[in-house]
Amino acid sequence: MTQLTFDRLENVLDKIYSNSYRVFLREKFQLKEIGLDWADHDDVIFYLQRNLVAGINGPTYEHKTTGPCLLPTVDINLLKSKNIDVQAILDRQPTIQNVLLVATASKGQVHVCLETKEFSTLLADLTGENQEFLDETIEIARRTMEINKRLLNWWGIRDRNIHLHFTHEPRVDETIQINCRRYGELYLRYLESYPQKSNNFRLGQRMRKLIARGKKLEDIYRLRIYSTYFPGWWGDEKVKEHSIVENVFHDAQLFTKKHSKSSMVGLMPPKDLNFKKNEMDVGVPLYLGTEEKIREGIELLKMTRFPNKNRFNCIVGNLLLYAVKNIEDFHCIESCGRNQVTCHHDCRACLDILEDFILTISGL
C-alpha cells in the first residue's frame, strides 16, 4: 500500500486550494502553519492527516469547542423575504459543510455547541412571526448530530469524548449571558476598530442600533454566539483554556484570544456546488436533511465533468478530501486526468466514492 505522507497531501491540497490562498488565510486570521511537525498536535491528527487545517494560532488544549451553524447564510437571507415556506427551509437542513466542520474527530474533551436558543430567536425575528421555533431548531441540531455520528463511523473513529450542549439549557444559557455582559461592550469596540468599510465595522454598528432600541447585550444573536468562544461557555467555570476547532473564516476567536486562554484550529471549509464560493453556506449548499434534497445534490455532483482548464478545480475532488477513509481515495484524486485505469475524464471514479459517502452518512 502506498505510504501517506505530508508532501503527498500537500500536493493534493495545492491543486484545490493554492498555497498563496492558504498563506493569505493564515495572515488574515493570525494562524501558524503546522508543516511536518504533527507530533505536537496529535489531538487534531485526523484533520492534519487530511491536510484540512489552515493553521493554528496557539497551543491545542485538552478542551475543544466546535459546533454546526444550524442555518446557512444563504437560507438566513431567504427567510428575510416574504411568502417563503419556512418549514421547507428548516426540513432541508443541515448542509454538508455544517456536518463536516463539526470537529468531533478531535481528541480530548470535545464540547459541541448547538445554538438552539440563538437560531430560535433569529427565526422569529426574520419571519416576523410571534412564535417560538425552539422545537424546530432542536430537531435540526438532533438531525445534524445523527449524521455526524454516522460520519465518525464512516471514518472508523471510536471512543471520542463528545459532549453535546444546547444553548437553551439553563446552565449553558446563564454562562452565555454572563460572558455577553462581561465582554459585550469590549467586543463591540473591537469590531468598530476595523476600517469603516469593513464588514466587521458595519456589524458593530448594526448591534449598536439594536442596543439603542433597548436590546440587551445577552439577547443579541451574534453576541451570544461569540461568547461561546470563551473557555467553559458550557457552564464549567473550572475550565480556563480551550481550543476552538472550526471553520477558518469565523474570526471572533481573534478577540477571545486577547481576553482568555483560547486558541483556534482553523479548518478549511468545503466549497459550494458551483465551486465558486469559499464556503458552502454563502454559495450553493449540498443539503442532507431530506432524501429529495440529498438526491438532488448528488445529481448536481454527477453533472460535474472533467475540468480541462485545471483538473483539480472540481467540487468532487474537494469533497473527497473529507470523504477519504482509504488510501485509494487519495490515489483517485492524484491520478485525475493522468491514469487511464482510474480516470475516464468524466469524474466517474471519484463520484462513485463520493455518492457512497453521502448516502451512507445520510442514513439512506
Side-chain angles (χ1 to χ4, degrees):
M1 183 175 288
T2 309
Q3 184 182 4
L4 181 62
T5 65
F6 178 82
D7 289 340
R8 187 176 168 199
L9 285 168
E10 276 286 295
N11 181 60
V12 171
L13 197 61
D14 278 344
K15 304 302 186 289
I16 297 173
Y17 294 101
S18 70
N19 186 58
S20 61
Y21 180 65
R22 281 179 288 152
V23 169
F24 159 75
L25 288 179
R26 292 181 190 118
E27 291 176 351
K28 181 177 181 179
F29 297 102
Q30 301 173 21
L31 303 171
K32 179 182 177 182
E33 184 178 7
I34 295 175
L36 292 169
D37 188 14
W38 293 355
D40 293 339
H41 304 285
D42 69 343
D43 42 358
V44 288
I45 194 71
F46 172 85
Y47 303 98
L48 291 170
Q49 286 177 334
R50 282 151 180 79
N51 219 350
L52 294 170
V53 178
I56 296 179
N57 68 5
T60 48
Y61 296 111
E62 164 70 11
H63 288 273
K64 311 293 190 307
T65 287
T66 189
C69 182
L70 298 181
L71 282 173
T73 304
V74 66
D75 284 335
I76 290 173
N77 290 335
L78 274 178
L79 287 165
K80 296 176 184 177
S81 307
K82 294 181 180 179
N83 302 319
I84 290 294
D85 188 339
V86 177
Q87 193 59 51
I89 289 177
L90 301 183
D91 287 344
R92 67 193 185 200
Q93 309 306 324
T95 67
I96 197 169
Q97 174 185 323
N98 289 331
V99 173
L100 293 173
L101 292 187
V102 180
T104 48
S106 302
K107 295 180 183 177
Q109 304 287 327
V110 181
H111 300 276
V112 181
C113 183
L114 297 164
E115 295 158 345
T116 43
K117 183 168 182 176
E118 291 73 26
F119 279 95
S120 174
T121 303
L122 179 65
L123 280 164
D125 290 344
L126 290 174
T127 59
E129 296 183 21
N130 187 24
Q131 68 173 86
E132 281 193 351
F133 287 90
L134 186 57
D135 289 343
E136 289 83 352
T137 55
I138 291 173
E139 172 58 22
I140 294 172
R142 184 202 62 77
R143 196 184 307 144
T144 301
M145 297 315 299
E146 281 296 316
I147 296 172
N148 190 261
K149 183 178 178 180
R150 289 192 289 268
L151 184 64
L152 292 181
N153 288 334
W154 169 273
W155 287 330
I157 292 173
R158 303 286 186 272
D159 303 322
R160 288 299 190 261
N161 200 347
I162 299 167
H163 310 273
L164 303 183
H165 305 284
F166 297 84
T167 57
H168 69 276
E169 295 173 341
R171 184 179 179 184
V172 182
D173 185 28
E174 182 181 359
T175 303
I176 289 174
Q177 291 188 48
I178 291 170
N179 283 344
C180 283
R181 294 171 196 147
R182 184 178 297 161
Y183 299 107
E185 179 61 34
L186 288 172
Y187 185 54
L188 285 170
R189 290 182 206 164
Y190 171 77
L191 295 176
E192 292 165 347
S193 70
Y194 280 80
Q196 292 193 14
K197 291 184 178 180
S198 76
N199 187 58
N200 273 341
F201 179 85
R202 292 192 292 271
L203 184 61
Q205 292 295 296
R206 286 199 295 271
M207 285 192 275
R208 286 278 183 212
K209 290 179 182 178
L210 289 174
I211 293 170
R213 294 174 194 157
K215 198 89 166 179
K216 296 179 181 178
L217 288 170
E218 61 267 28
D219 292 333
I220 297 176
Y221 161 76
R222 289 185 181 273
L223 288 182
R224 284 182 60 88
I225 288 176
Y226 101 87
S227 76
T228 62
Y229 291 162
F230 283 95
W233 60 267
W234 52 90
D236 191 341
E237 295 181 0
K238 295 178 182 178
V239 177
K240 303 298 183 184
E241 55 191 30
H242 76 153
S243 295
I244 303 152
V245 189
E246 65 169 44
N247 193 333
V248 67
F249 292 99
H250 297 175
D251 62 351
Q253 300 94 320
L254 299 179
F255 170 79
T256 52
K257 193 177 190 312
K258 295 175 182 289
H259 298 278
S260 66
K261 286 188 177 180
S262 296
S263 65
M264 172 189 180
V265 180
L267 301 183
M268 297 293 290
K271 294 198 174 186
D272 79 335
L273 288 175
N274 287 336
F275 206 77
K276 294 179 180 178
K277 299 285 187 178
N278 291 323
E279 297 183 75
M280 277 193 168
D281 66 0
V282 293
V284 180
L286 174 60
Y287 294 102
L288 301 177
T290 65
E291 181 173 354
E292 179 184 0
K293 298 304 293 185
I294 293 163
R295 301 283 182 190
E296 182 181 302
I298 290 173
E299 288 305 309
L300 287 173
L301 289 172
K302 286 182 177 178
M303 292 171 64
T304 300
R305 289 295 177 266
F306 180 74
N308 292 315
K309 185 176 181 181
N310 175 352
R311 66 179 183 272
F312 290 94
N313 193 24
C314 169
I315 181 59
V316 176
N318 182 220
L319 285 175
L320 270 184
L321 289 174
Y322 301 84
V324 288
K325 62 178 178 179
N326 301 309
I327 199 71
E328 289 80 7
D329 296 350
F330 276 114
H331 176 69
C332 183
I333 305 173
E334 288 176 304
S335 65
C336 180
R338 294 182 305 185
N339 188 326
Q340 296 304 313
V341 175
T342 58
C343 183
H344 305 279
H345 283 218
D346 62 0
C347 303
R348 190 189 316 160
C350 293
L351 275 167
D352 286 345
I353 299 170
L354 195 56
E355 182 175 5
D356 185 26
F357 168 71
I358 292 169
L359 292 176
T360 300
I361 66 171
S362 301
L364 297 181

